Amino acid sequence: MNDPPAPTMSNDDVPLQFVKFAKILGIWIQDDLKWDKQINEMLKKTNSRMYMLRTLKRFGFTSDELSVIYKGYVRPLLEYGDVVWDSSLTCEQVNSLEKVKKGLQNNTWQEIQLIY
C-alpha cells in the first residue's frame, strides 16, 4: 500500500521543503519523531569534551577544577532538552547514555565528584 502524498505547505506562497530532520533550539527533530539523531549528536559532543577533560587531567588540573569544568561544560550536553526527548527514548538509546555516564564514573574519574 502506498503512503498518501505529503500535503503541500507554503509560507507566503513559497513552498516549504520537507526534510528528514531539523535542528530547532538545539534539539534535533526527526520526521519520524524518533531521537536517533539527537542522541548520536549528544554522544559525539560528549565524547569530544571528555577527551578534553582527559587532556586537562594530564596537564595537572585538580579534581575540583575538573569537576567544575565537567559540570559546566559536559553534563549540560547530556541534560539539555531532556524534558522533550527523555520519555520517548528506546532501551538502546537509554543504554547508550547510561554507558557514557558509567564511563564517567570509572577509575579515571573516581576522584572527580560527578553528581547526577
Side-chain angles (χ1 to χ4, degrees):
M1 186 164 112
N2 291 336
D3 291 334
T8 54
M9 300 175 71
S10 63
N11 184 15
D12 290 333
D13 294 327
V14 177
L16 297 177
Q17 178 184 1
F18 283 91
V19 294
K20 186 154 181 72
F21 43 78
K23 191 173 187 179
I24 301 171
L25 297 175
I27 297 177
W28 287 98
I29 309 279
Q30 290 177 218
D31 63 350
D32 58 3
L33 299 179
K34 294 184 180 177
W35 298 105
D36 301 323
K37 178 78 171 167
Q38 173 67 23
I39 299 302
N40 291 338
E41 292 298 319
M42 284 174 39
L43 293 175
K44 247 193 309 189
K45 286 182 180 181
T46 300
N47 287 330
S48 173
R49 291 183 185 185
M50 290 308 299
Y51 174 78
M52 177 203 60
L53 275 180
R54 286 190 297 274
T55 302
L56 293 175
K57 184 179 179 184
R58 282 195 300 262
F59 281 117
F61 277 60
T62 67
S63 297
D64 289 339
E65 292 168 332
L66 292 172
S67 181
V68 168
I69 294 168
Y70 166 78
K71 290 174 187 173
Y73 195 61
V74 178
R75 192 167 77 179
L77 287 176
L78 297 171
E79 296 175 351
Y80 180 75
D82 63 348
V83 295
V84 175
W85 48 260
D86 187 51
S87 64
S88 52
L89 295 181
T90 64
C91 289
E92 183 180 331
Q93 292 166 334
V94 170
N95 290 338
S96 296
L97 291 174
E98 288 302 316
K99 183 178 176 184
V100 169
K101 290 177 185 179
K102 286 179 185 174
L104 298 174
Q105 296 169 346
N106 68 13
N107 293 336
T108 308
W109 303 104
Q110 279 183 346
E111 67 274 8
I112 302 175
Q113 297 300 314
L114 303 177
I115 300 170
Y116 279 97

